[in-house]
Amino acid sequence: MYVAVKGGERAIDNAHAWLAEERRGDLSVAEMSIAQIREQLSLAVNRVMAEGSLYDPDLAALAIKQSRGDLIEAIFLIRAYRTTLPRFGATVPVETGEMRCDRRISATFKEAPGGQVLGPTFDYTHRLLDFKLAAEGEPATAPQSEGRTDPTPHITGFLQGEDLIQTEPRDETEPRDITRQPMSYPADRATRAQALARGDEGFVLSLAYSTQRGYAKNHAFVGELRIGLVDVEMEIPELGFSIDIGEVQLTECETVNQFAGSKTEPPQFTRGYGLVFGQTERKAISMALVDRALRWEELGEDFKGAPAQDEEFVLSHCDNIQATGFLEHIKLPHYVDFQSELELVRKMRREAADNAAAQEAAQ
Amino acid sequence: MTATAALTGGFANAPVDAAHAFRAIMTVMARPGEIRSVTQATPPAPLSVAAGTLILTLCDPETGLHLAGACDTPAVREWVAFHTGAPIVAPADAVFAVGSWADLSPVSQFPIGTPEYPDRSASLIVECNALTASGAVLEGPGIRDTAHLSLPETAAFAANHALYPLGLDFFFTAGDQVAALPRSTAVREG
Amino acid sequence: MSLMDDYNFAYLDEQTKRMIRRAILKGLAVPGYQVPFASREMPMPYGWGTGGVQVSAATLTPDDTLKVIDQGADDTTNAVSIRKFFERTAGVATTEETTEASIIQTRHRIPEVDLTEDQVLVYQVPIPEPLRFLEPRETETRKMHSLEEYGLMHVKLYEDISRHGNISTAFAYPVMVNDRYVMDPSPIPKFDNPKMEMAAIQLFGAGREQRIYAVPPWTKVVSLDFEDYPFEASKADHSCELCGSDSSYLDEVILDDAGNRMFVCSDTDYCRSRREAGHQGRLAGETV
């Protein structure tokens, strides 16, 4: 006798058990620790923290382990955990001008106070597989020098002195929290920045790339890219002053972009801005380019129909957790909808056949 | 009211009390004219138990609350602040307002939403002496044929309905009883 | 101690529930209007019922009995998963019997038996905007709703008729609610549309799209149509081959490699209860 498919619950339990077994892999190979992931896959950890919007390297490492290295899945785990955390308050805005830079480069000035510091970059590595890494080698050491003690000034500050770049107005209004308020359009720049900072690296990268190739072209110079630690402060109303609650690693990118000016306004450079958790420079540069493209209206430029200029398009599609969830949901059962279409198509085909027959008979 | 009085009269078990209270509140909003009992809060006078329960169930730091007339007492302010953190605001900024019909009138001072966002409107908690299923005739969503409710008047509610889909939504409270009248309900004299 | 003991009743924190509850009340006050809400990131993927789950979580009390269906069935994997989530986080009783449930969360179906005044039906909604396939921009569709400008929708339906001789929408068939808002009924088959004028409260949750909307009991819900092409609630022209019902929505099941088919009720509880009451379809008791 026909029995409707049953046993969904057991199927799910079994799938989870199998997943756990696969996650561990070959038992003769040592299990990875959270510390190993945190220390040795730190750029993956950084991406998970950035797009998960939660600065906690250990939790990000745990998420990577649990997700078998599927970073979007890891970001999802972090996001779902983050939602449940109580909010104690908001920090004072971080002061990136005080950043203790590990890396700081400018494409606009050959030399500037604070110097060009390459830091731990892949930039000039030859992309040759290093087979020495396949074996356990000696720990690598880098030469040390005295770090800079003075703060490293922002490059754009030097342009601002001459009024060559637009001064961004200081805005003291509290930005909306896109995880606590529904998105609505048009969105302000702070809202856009939040969405881009946690947006999918690949999506933001491709949009940024499209602006370079001419879809809302606005040639960008990397005025400055810096990576380092900044202090995080919180105001404690009971104390009447703010205290340091820790430090976070950030990547900040400011681009210097062309601006034609007008009859009434002399030419002036404009900026794009990117700020992301961790060492995540591909993302920060991409974010700065897309930020700049989205500012077309504010800067009196034309809307050229380019994807990167289209705020609603960019913001409603940049979140990989939303995207992957909706994309993957189409593997859920849709028997009922499909059945309704099946019946409709059958009916229409029947009608078409009847019509054809009637026409034939008439001839 | 003593300082400690502000600390009492809240939900004994917030998740469960709020859940039960909300179901009653949702039911009356979905079925205009229906009267339900909500007993979860014990607010300071002059707030009724039902009005206090509505405030605890729906208000928090994100929702401006207007205390109209006699409801605006230090004791009520302290109680609202301690249990909900809702800012006390002027009528034009209110998401919720509580008071007698006389104190809330004219209701044109409260936001009615915008054509694109009709939800950006105020909900008014009207304290009444009693609630009965009699008087004004109600028709609209949530009502199979007609319903009756003892409204403080009909003209203002008919005028509010004429703004649909903009407009205000009303709760009526008396003791531990609550009923509702959304903007979607057409109202006429009974 | 289970993992979930660390979480609040029904998983969501109280402030989140309040925010959702306020949105539900607005939805009930303006039937069919999509209320924006700050949807939370749930521990299940967007598109898998996060909106419905949040609405259910904000609506449940410990006294409720919850039923979860997907495609009309209680035992489909995602229904099982959501039911389990609420068993763990809210400790509520669950049931597969439609008549026993006080809250029913559904994906893609309305149960066959009439729901009652004491029940709440929570729909999972993927795309809450009925105009989305005609106009992708939220800024535009919001304007169209505000102006009650639904001509585009009628044009689309009419183009269907001129091209196919039929309105080619078979599920998620748009409805006009309370003579004001065009609403997406979620991807239920159009067969279910006429049931929406019902005694129960209907709540719709779209998590990814951050929208909640509602239909109070007995609200006027009209499927869009034309005088010369009236709406028709169609289904497969068969009766259930297990319980014999000729009025229920049917799933088509492929039985063998030769492609033989049979038709069975999509509402598994309805089919079971009919069979228990002695009703028999063509293939009942046969080995297939």
Side-chain angles (χ1 to χ4, degrees):
Chain A
M1 153 167 193
Y2 169 79
V3 183
V5 185
K6 279 270 177 190
E9 187 154 355
R10 205 182 60 212
I12 290 174
D13 289 343
N14 290 346
H16 291 177
W18 195 355
L19 172 66
E21 200 180 298
E22 287 290 314
R23 176 188 296 124
R24 177 59 185 86
D26 184 346
L27 291 173
S28 68
V29 176
E31 186 174 353
M32 246 181 341
S33 72
I34 299 306
Q36 283 172 326
I37 296 170
R38 185 192 64 222
E39 297 300 318
Q40 298 172 37
L41 296 177
S42 57
L43 297 187
V45 167
N46 286 343
R47 179 172 174 196
V48 170
M49 293 197 301
E51 293 171 37
S53 308
L54 183 73
Y55 196 93
D56 189 321
D58 284 309
L59 284 181
L62 170 62
I64 291 168
K65 178 172 178 175
Q66 187 178 332
S67 64
R68 308 174 64 194
D70 179 336
L71 295 190
I72 290 182
E73 184 67 25
I75 291 159
F76 187 5
L77 289 167
I78 291 297
R79 294 267 193 98
Y81 176 76
R82 180 189 188 274
T83 336
T84 66
L85 297 175
R87 307 294 171 101
F88 296 118
T91 70
V92 176
V94 292
E95 199 47 77
T96 54
E98 305 284 329
M99 182 185 281
R100 296 181 288 288
C101 297
D102 289 336
R103 170 163 167 78
R104 190 277 198 129
I105 54 169
S106 170
T108 50
F109 293 102
K110 185 170 185 184
E111 195 49 81
Q116 301 267 15
V117 180
L118 287 182
T121 177
F122 291 124
D123 282 356
Y124 306 102
T125 60
H126 293 147
R127 269 57 169 203
L128 303 170
L129 275 175
D130 182 355
F131 293 101
K132 287 205 297 292
L133 285 175
E136 287 169 37
E138 286 294 299
T141 52
Q144 301 281 319
S145 69
E146 280 295 301
R148 186 182 160 89
T149 49
D150 290 340
T152 306
H154 276 124
I155 297 288
T156 49
F158 298 105
L159 290 169
Q160 213 166 312
E162 277 185 76
D163 226 18
L164 285 167
I165 194 163
Q166 271 195 341
T167 305
E168 299 303 333
R170 211 180 159 78
D171 184 357
E172 299 292 347
T173 54
E174 194 165 320
R176 73 152 70 200
D177 178 344
I178 62 167
T179 68
R180 310 294 281 189
Q181 284 170 281
M183 187 64 92
S184 59
Y185 302 104
D188 58 25
R189 196 173 173 204
T191 304
R192 295 197 302 243
Q194 273 180 70
L196 290 175
R198 71 196 319 241
D200 182 73
E201 180 178 305
F203 181 81
V204 182
L205 166 67
S206 293
L207 280 174
Y209 175 50
S210 73
T211 69
Q212 291 184 291
R213 287 195 66 260
Y215 289 81
K217 189 167 182 70
N218 190 304
H219 187 270
F221 298 98
V222 171
E224 177 169 345
L225 176 74
R226 57 170 65 193
I227 303 174
L229 294 170
V230 296
D231 294 327
V232 179
E233 290 179 26
M234 219 170 143
E235 265 166 19
I236 311 293
E238 289 81 2
L239 298 178
F241 53 86
S242 61
I243 56 166
D244 252 15
I245 56 168
E247 57 182 15
V248 295
Q249 186 188 38
L250 297 176
T251 301
E252 183 186 52
C253 177
E254 266 197 294
T255 55
V256 176
N257 297 66
Q258 287 167 341
F259 178 55
S262 66
K263 279 189 183 132
T264 51
E265 283 179 62
Q268 203 179 23
F269 292 109
T270 57
R271 356 175 169 216
Y273 187 73
L275 184 69
V276 190
F277 278 158
Q279 180 176 348
T280 44
E281 70 183 60
R282 181 185 299 123
K283 173 70 175 287
I285 300 169
S286 302
M287 178 178 166
L289 264 60
V290 176
D291 169 59
R292 178 61 186 79
L294 288 171
R295 300 180 67 195
W296 63 270
E297 196 166 16
E298 167 200 346
L299 298 174
E301 295 168 346
D302 291 335
F303 179 70
K304 294 172 188 145
Q309 286 181 305
D310 186 335
E311 173 182 275
E312 188 174 334
F313 178 82
V314 173
L315 300 193
S316 51
H317 300 110
C318 67
D319 189 288
N320 53 26
I321 303 307
Q322 291 175 1
T324 199
F326 197 54
L327 180 104
E328 294 193 49
H329 107 281
I330 62 175
K331 63 196 173 189
L332 288 178
H334 284 78
Y335 329 129
V336 165
D337 320 12
F338 184 69
Q339 187 64 36
S340 64
E341 293 227 320
L342 204 54
E343 285 309 320
L344 185 64
V345 171
R346 279 183 182 138
K347 176 176 175 238
M348 294 193 316
R349 289 179 63 85
R350 251 190 333 262
E351 286 172 2
D354 290 350
N355 284 345
Q359 269 176 15
E360 216 167 285
Q363 284 164 9
Chain B
M1 186 177 193
T2 62
T4 51
L7 312 184
T8 63
F11 287 153
N13 178 353
V16 172
D17 288 348
H20 283 296
F22 176 68
R23 274 296 273 287
I25 294 165
M26 179 176 93
T27 302
V28 297
M29 185 58 86
R31 302 176 192 284
E34 188 159 324
I35 300 168
R36 290 275 170 124
S37 162
V38 285
T39 58
Q40 286 84 357
T42 319
L47 290 185
S48 65
V49 166
T53 304
L54 276 163
I55 290 169
L56 294 199
T57 306
L58 300 174
C59 296
D60 59 33
E62 293 174 10
T63 57
L65 172 66
H66 176 69
L67 300 174
C71 283
D72 190 0
T73 69
V76 170
R77 280 180 176 249
E78 281 169 34
W79 189 78
V80 167
F82 179 77
H83 291 283
T84 73
I88 304 300
V89 298
D93 301 317
V95 175
F96 290 96
V98 61
S100 68
W101 181 243
D103 285 340
L104 289 165
S105 300
V107 294
S108 56
Q109 56 188 330
F110 294 99
I112 58 168
T114 67
E116 296 196 353
Y117 294 94
D119 55 304
R120 295 180 182 171
S121 57
S123 299
L124 272 47
I125 302 166
V126 186
E127 293 270 41
C128 303
N129 293 325
L131 288 179
T132 56
S134 62
V137 183
L138 318 184
E139 273 178 288
I143 303 166
R144 190 161 196 180
D145 299 307
T146 55
H148 294 270
L149 187 63
S150 51
L151 299 178
E153 64 167 284
T154 44
F157 300 104
N160 182 60
H161 172 65
L163 301 170
Y164 190 82
L166 306 190
L168 306 169
D169 305 310
F170 298 91
F171 292 103
F172 302 96
T173 49
D176 63 9
Q177 292 195 310
V178 61
L181 188 79
R183 65 192 84 173
S184 59
T185 307
V187 181
R188 59 187 156 86
E189 296 279 353
Chain C
M1 176 166 148
S2 79
L3 173 74
M4 286 301 181
D5 290 341
D6 296 336
Y7 291 95
N8 196 22
F9 169 72
Y11 181 77
L12 296 173
D13 61 279
E14 288 306 296
Q15 191 168 344
T16 297
K17 281 191 253 177
R18 272 193 300 274
M19 175 271 296
I20 295 170
R21 287 168 179 160
R22 291 193 293 261
I24 291 173
L25 294 179
K26 293 285 191 202
L28 287 165
V30 190
Y33 166 72
Q34 303 162 51
V35 186
F37 83 112
S39 174
R40 298 299 194 246
E41 288 174 304
M42 300 297 287
M44 57 198 61
Y46 284 121
W48 298 53
T50 57
V53 165
Q54 290 180 82
V55 168
S56 292
T59 307
L60 276 173
T61 76
D63 302 344
D64 274 310
T65 302
L66 177 71
K67 171 181 165 85
V68 184
I69 49 173
D70 187 338
Q71 315 298 302
D74 300 84
D75 199 48
T76 34
T77 42
N78 204 41
V80 168
S81 170
I82 290 171
R83 187 162 59 239
K84 220 171 173 179
F85 176 75
F86 281 117
E87 283 171 357
R88 289 168 73 184
T89 60
V92 293
T94 56
T95 184
E96 296 194 3
E97 287 178 44
T98 304
T99 51
E100 294 297 307
S102 52
I103 295 189
I104 301 170
Q105 180 169 328
T106 182
R107 177 169 172 265
H108 296 189
R109 273 314 308 278
I110 297 175
E112 300 294 352
V113 298
D114 287 341
L115 300 186
T116 64
E117 283 208 358
D118 305 319
Q119 293 180 307
V120 179
L121 183 60
V122 177
Y123 295 76
Q124 299 172 203
V125 182
I127 303 274
E129 178 51 73
L131 306 170
R132 187 61 73 230
F133 297 101
L134 308 170
E135 168 52 62
R137 274 171 211 285
E138 167 69 15
T139 37
E140 290 300 317
T141 54
R142 188 159 283 279
K143 222 174 285 163
M144 291 157 77
H145 284 295
S146 78
L147 299 170
E148 215 175 335
E149 193 186 289
Y150 296 127
L152 200 56
M153 180 65 94
H154 282 100
V155 169
K156 191 258 169 198
L157 297 177
Y158 207 82
E159 277 175 0
D160 275 5
I161 293 170
S162 54
R163 185 175 311 156
H164 304 296
N166 280 280
I167 291 174
S168 69
T169 302
F171 60 91
Y173 191 102
V175 292
M176 172 65 86
V177 178
N178 190 30
D179 295 322
R180 179 57 184 81
Y181 285 102
V182 168
M183 185 187 94
D184 181 312
S186 90
I188 56 173
K190 66 179 182 178
F191 173 81
D192 281 340
N193 276 21
K195 296 180 197 163
M196 295 185 81
E197 287 183 359
M198 63 164 72
I201 297 172
Q202 297 170 80
L203 305 176
F204 299 78
R208 190 179 41 77
E209 298 280 341
Q210 308 187 312
R211 296 291 183 271
I212 284 171
Y213 51 103
V215 176
W218 310 120
T219 302
K220 189 175 170 193
V221 179
V222 179
S223 301
L224 300 183
D225 64 357
F226 299 94
E227 250 171 47
D228 43 347
Y229 282 91
F231 172 82
E232 196 188 346
S234 58
K235 69 181 215 31
D237 194 14
H238 294 267
S239 54
C240 173
E241 282 160 300
L242 295 181
C243 79
S245 172
D246 55 12
S247 62
S248 70
Y249 193 76
L250 301 172
D251 279 344
E252 182 171 332
V253 181
I254 302 173
L255 292 173
D256 52 31
D257 292 353
N260 285 309
R261 316 284 166 104
M262 75 181 281
F263 290 87
V264 292
C265 291
S266 115
D267 183 336
T268 49
D269 176 61
Y270 172 80
C271 193
R272 180 196 51 76
S273 60
R274 276 182 54 87
R275 275 176 282 139
E276 282 174 8
H279 296 283
Q280 288 202 340
R282 192 174 61 89
L283 296 176
E286 254 182 62
T287 305
V288 178

